[in-house]
Amino acid sequence: MSEVLVIGSLAYDSVKTPAGSAKKSLGGSANYFSVAASLFSPVRVVGVVGTDYAKEDKEILIRRKIDLQGLQVVEGQTFHWEGTYENDLNEAVTLKTELNVFAHFNPEIPVSYTQSSHIFLANIDPTLQLKVLSQISNPVFVGMDSMNFWINSKQSDLLEVIKKVDILFMNETEVKMLTQENNTITAIEKISKMGPRYVVIKRGEYGVTMYSPEKGYFQSPALPVSNVVDPTGAGDSFAGGFFGYLVKNVQGQPSWSDLKRAVLAGTVMSSQTIQDFSLKALLDLSPAQFERLNQDLIRMTTLEG
Ligand code: AMP
């Protein structure tokens, strides 16, 4: 059986957007990813939370049958991120990053996780991403994400991770920052030479660009959404939909056409997340609603009909 293992942050986020604010609400890259992916496939989580992490928040993952054997609970406070979005909803401004229990986290993978087929190294300290990846025997497909915080503070470990993955997800600002290029296309082609076979650039309301040196470019628009409440977690929900789709529908290595379909699935998931604070809108999405939105997106991207 196939499944996806994710290492990433389980967090409390304090977020302010033009639509309002939410204080210490549930967030974190691993939470968004696993809730999105679990609509399609089995998910295993590696991470750490503090003793302040609410029982109800853990139960959200349990209700979606997410495997939490790799989740540690230790004395201290859960990771806390504070951010704001001003005029540009595509770009978060970080006000505070409090690593708390993540600062001393040493991920030990349960034996049952070591054979996981798909791995997603969600946004977290690249040293932790490397430690987790080194404990997996023979993964079929490995993806990663990161952000400016780690590009600035842990760049050499980040470059090590980039060398080892099949697919890299980043936003435009991050890829330009990492490559020191100011043209997105130049930045994509430069980063694709650093290791990953595929590069996926998230462009918020302008959609997604995927690139492979053999296949060239694929672009998907975003679903049109007028009710953008909080863009936090859009990238992780995208990755969750993308990986969940692949695990459910593709055996072994995905083809270019499989990856295109996975981009559309990810796009649907991120369009949900942004319509409310925290994980609220994402948790409400049913498989039937997903299917309708996915068909809408397919109609928007084809010439027929
Ligand atoms: P995104 O999908 O890029 O909007 O990711 C948003 C999530 O990333 C938030 O829920 C934050 O808790 C989490 N986050 C923010 N900064 C970091 C960081 N430095 N490391 C790990 N996770 C983070």
Side-chain angles (χ1 to χ4, degrees), residues 85-292:
Y85 299 79
E86 276 142 25
N87 295 327
D88 184 0
L89 283 170
N90 293 324
E91 200 68 58
V93 178
T94 294
L95 301 173
K96 252 188 222 161
T97 303
E98 295 168 341
L99 293 176
N100 298 333
V101 292
F102 260 107
H104 303 289
F105 178 50
N106 185 20
E108 295 278 355
I109 305 296
V111 179
S112 59
Y113 281 20
T114 57
Q115 307 286 326
S116 302
S117 63
H118 291 67
I119 313 294
F120 188 65
L121 309 168
N123 179 25
I124 196 63
D125 185 337
T127 314
L128 297 177
Q129 293 178 318
L130 282 172
K131 273 192 184 154
V132 169
L133 190 56
S134 69
Q135 294 173 63
I136 313 293
S137 318
N138 206 358
V140 173
F141 200 68
V142 181
M144 71 172 289
D145 192 358
S146 196
M147 74 180 293
N148 50 12
F149 185 83
W150 304 114
I151 297 174
N152 290 327
S153 62
K154 288 274 183 110
Q155 192 159 138
S156 67
D157 271 7
L158 182 61
L159 293 173
E160 275 308 302
V161 191
I162 290 176
K163 273 190 207 155
K164 297 180 194 297
V165 299
D166 297 292
I167 190 160
L168 170 93
F169 298 79
M170 273 192 183
N171 72 29
E172 271 186 286
T173 314
E174 290 154 0
V175 84
K176 286 178 183 169
M177 185 189 250
L178 186 59
T179 56
Q180 302 196 321
E181 294 289 344
N182 50 30
N183 176 287
T184 305
I185 300 303
T186 315
I188 292 174
E189 295 184 13
K190 197 163 170 183
I191 211 158
S192 106
K193 293 200 176 82
M194 297 178 180
R197 280 192 287 152
Y198 307 102
V199 176
V200 171
I201 301 301
K202 299 165 287 178
R203 309 175 104 159
E205 67 183 298
Y206 307 112
V208 168
T209 298
M210 178 166 67
Y211 173 75
S212 117
E214 292 103 67
K215 299 291 180 180
Y217 287 91
F218 170 69
Q219 315 235 47
S220 164
L223 273 169
V225 173
S226 55
N227 173 41
V228 181
V229 173
D230 175 13
T232 307
D236 308 309
S237 312
F238 172 86
F242 184 100
F243 264 83
Y245 175 89
L246 287 185
V247 171
K248 180 176 176 200
N249 297 295
V250 181
Q251 292 282 318
Q253 284 303 309
S255 67
W256 185 239
S257 143
D258 295 328
L259 294 170
K260 289 182 188 174
R261 288 173 210 276
V263 165
L264 299 195
T267 298
V268 171
M269 300 313 280
S270 54
S271 76
Q272 283 309 291
T273 292
I274 63 178
Q275 297 189 42
D276 208 338
F277 285 101
S278 187
L279 290 127
K280 285 189 221 142
L282 186 60
L283 283 164
D284 280 348
L285 185 75
S286 69
Q289 283 166 327
F290 167 82
E291 206 36 63
R292 272 198 298 280

